[in-house]
Amino acid sequence: MNTASKPVLGLVITDGVGYRNFVLSNFLKEANKYFSKIIIYTGLPKEVYTQLEINEKIEILELPVYRETSQSWFWRKFKEVAHLQLHKGFFGINDNLKGNYPKSNSNRSLVTKLIFGITNHFHSEEFIQWLERQQQRTISTQQTTKACKEILKKHPADLLFFTHQRPPYVLPLFTAAKECGIKTSAFIFSWDNLSSKGRMAATFDFYVVWSELMKKELLYFYPATPTENVKVGGTPQFEPYVLPKYSTSREEFFRRFDIDPELRTICYSCGDISTSKNDELYISIIAEAILRKQIDEKSNFIVRTSPAEAPDRFLKLKEKYPFIKWNFPAWYLARQDHPEPWSQRLPKPEDLRDLRSLLEYCDLNVNMCSTMGLDFMLFDKPVVNPVLGNENNGLYNDQRFLNFGHYENVVKTGATKIVTRQEELIEAINQYLETPGKQKEERKELVNMQIGVSLDRTSGVIASQLSKFCQ
């Protein structure tokens, strides 16, 4: 423990979403109450923090860029595929496993096929932990890890808090922390990461999770984890929705998007193209229904695209339906030529104001099984989930996402209207425009299940739990 009366926290910001969740929220302010100092070890360029109100108790250190070696890749891939094999009884994980099987015969693909063959027979939790140790052994000798170790020696912390548990580029700092005897903790990044995605990057000492449901999932998938080392803290992802600095008036919202304040407003929120390939179809269906007056009430129509991608794939729709208002998230690329370019995209504060205003003043949301459904439900707005694609009709098969572990709870609670045909989508929109209170209690049930701490207490609870990990 640090000799100061309060410990030192090392906050590891790996990407733009971590920046959004833990820098643009109230987390730094709350953490200042529990820690004598906060060191931000950042995978983003240091200059992205210059416009923020950083006080003297906060130090920012830029981490070296990690480029994975072939040897480290081999052990990581081995570990991840073994984890997927062990838990392939879960639909989402099995879907992920199938998607990882190579379609080519490149050298790396042939190695991956060999890994699949071995892990089909050997994939116990003990074997996976052995693979993880081999991976960390290869990382410990790399220059990036040695550089991280020097950083930690010169700027030590009592606890490192990784704001994302999955990306492999956290491993040099994690391995350096282990060698320096520094405790590690991780925040579970998203609601689908445990039951539908791959193995964590490493075995951390402590975890902060969204809810009791997520705690139960973590203890199931990582059975060696002591129960007392997993704490429920909610998620700061939604905290901007209760912070005054991100609020706008209703009048400002209608001016900002240049829409008619007398009409109801439909918002379609897109996923990224890797999992939400039918977005253009669903937007077109709604736009055509508005043109043909199949939607009973004349409505404004706003589309918010995913922050994870540029708006290119929607430009033809923008030209075809000029009455659609578009919200292209105000995220920017902080650094070029990075091995993980998606990690370098981060939001401007005005994007949080845009997003909150959409949630607060739109009347209903349409999305394909996105976490955005939770965002709208926090404002008690009804949500429609179109999943028109299946294995047989030639569309991208998005119906399979209904069987993923995290979305099964949405289906079971009945918190959204899930539609599998075009006419059902229009019917669901009409029903919600007429009676927006439908499924109100179901929405509340789902929110309480997924988010275990009220938004106004989230940062304080997380900071408090982290300080206890230092004891």
Side-chain angles (χ1 to χ4, degrees), residues 23 53 93 140 190 216 222 243 246 256 258-259 273 343 352 371 373 376 388 407 433:
V23 176
E53 296 178 7
I93 289 179
S140 66
S190 185
K216 183 179 178 182
Y222 300 88
L243 299 180
Y246 297 118
R256 164 76 178 85
D258 188 27
I259 54 178
I273 195 168
S343 72
L352 293 180
T371 184
F376 276 92
L388 273 59
Y407 227 78
L433 288 176

Side-chain angles (χ1 to χ4, degrees), residues 373-374 376-383 409-410 413-416 432 436-452:
L374 290 177
F376 276 92
M377 288 181 208
L378 285 165
F379 288 84
D380 194 27
K381 300 300 173 68
V383 178
N409 293 311
V410 181
T413 58
T416 72
Y432 273 145
K438 276 181 174 289
Q439 282 80 47
K440 181 183 181 72
E441 293 304 314
E442 289 86 347
R443 292 194 289 272
K444 188 182 298 183
E445 179 188 354
L446 182 66
V447 167
N448 291 337
M449 179 192 300
Q450 297 289 348
I451 306 169

Side-chain angles (χ1 to χ4, degrees), residues 7 81 88 191 220 248 255 270 302 321 377 392 398-399 435:
V81 174
K88 63 185 177 184
W191 67 333
Y220 177 86
T248 58
R255 282 199 304 271
C270 304
I302 299 176
Y321 301 108
M377 288 181 208
N392 306 312
D398 48 17
Q399 287 180 19
T435 53

Side-chain angles (χ1 to χ4, degrees), residues 356-368:
R356 176 170 168 173
S357 70
L358 289 169
L359 304 175
E360 193 166 1
Y361 302 119
C362 288
D363 293 284
L364 70 91
N365 173 244
V366 185
N367 73 75
M368 193 291 295

Side-chain angles (χ1 to χ4, degrees), residues 45-108:
K46 187 176 180 178
E47 55 265 24
V48 305
Y49 300 87
T50 55
Q51 296 179 357
L52 302 175
E53 296 178 7
I54 301 295
N55 62 41
E56 68 281 355
K57 290 176 63 177
I58 297 174
E59 183 178 7
I60 301 167
L61 300 172
E62 189 172 328
L63 295 171
V65 175
Y66 172 60
R67 298 181 188 277
E68 190 175 45
T69 66
S70 296
Q71 193 178 24
S72 296
W73 170 86
F74 171 78
W75 291 112
R76 175 175 66 82
K77 195 69 175 179
F78 211 154
K79 176 190 72 174
E80 290 177 348
V81 174
H83 179 84
L84 296 174
Q85 295 275 23
L86 177 59
H87 297 292
K88 63 185 177 184
F90 289 79
F91 186 94
I93 289 179
N94 191 46
D95 187 82
N96 204 328
L97 178 67
K98 292 176 180 176
N100 268 271
Y101 193 81
K103 296 178 174 62
S104 71
N105 286 314
S106 66
N107 289 339
R108 185 162 281 196

Side-chain angles (χ1 to χ4, degrees), residues 127-181:
F127 181 57
I128 296 169
Q129 290 179 16
W130 179 82
L131 293 171
E132 183 174 302
R133 290 194 293 273
Q134 305 316 303
Q135 181 192 13
Q136 288 180 12
R137 180 178 54 79
T138 67
I139 288 172
S140 66
T141 61
Q142 295 176 21
Q143 283 303 121
T144 308
T145 305
K146 292 176 181 178
C148 288
K149 195 170 180 179
E150 287 302 310
I151 290 172
L152 291 178
K153 285 180 179 178
K154 292 179 182 177
H155 308 273
D158 294 293
L159 174 75
L160 293 192
F161 180 44
F162 291 80
T163 56
H164 196 327
Q165 86 289 355
R166 290 193 66 231
Y169 49 81
V170 305
L171 283 170
L173 185 64
F174 172 87
T175 304
K178 284 295 184 186
E179 293 177 1
C180 292

Side-chain angles (χ1 to χ4, degrees), residues 1-11 30-39 41 57-58 156-160 182-183 462-471:
M1 173 67 71
N2 192 275
T3 54
S5 59
K6 294 179 182 179
V8 174
L9 175 66
L11 180 65
E30 292 297 323
N32 273 327
K33 300 175 183 177
Y34 295 92
F35 295 92
S36 62
K37 184 178 182 180
I38 301 168
I39 302 173
Y41 304 98
K57 290 176 63 177
I58 297 174
D158 294 293
L159 174 75
L160 293 192
I182 297 174
K183 295 177 182 179
I462 293 176
S464 173
Q465 297 291 7
L466 293 175
S467 69
K468 292 174 184 175
F469 292 158
C470 297
Q471 296 171 4

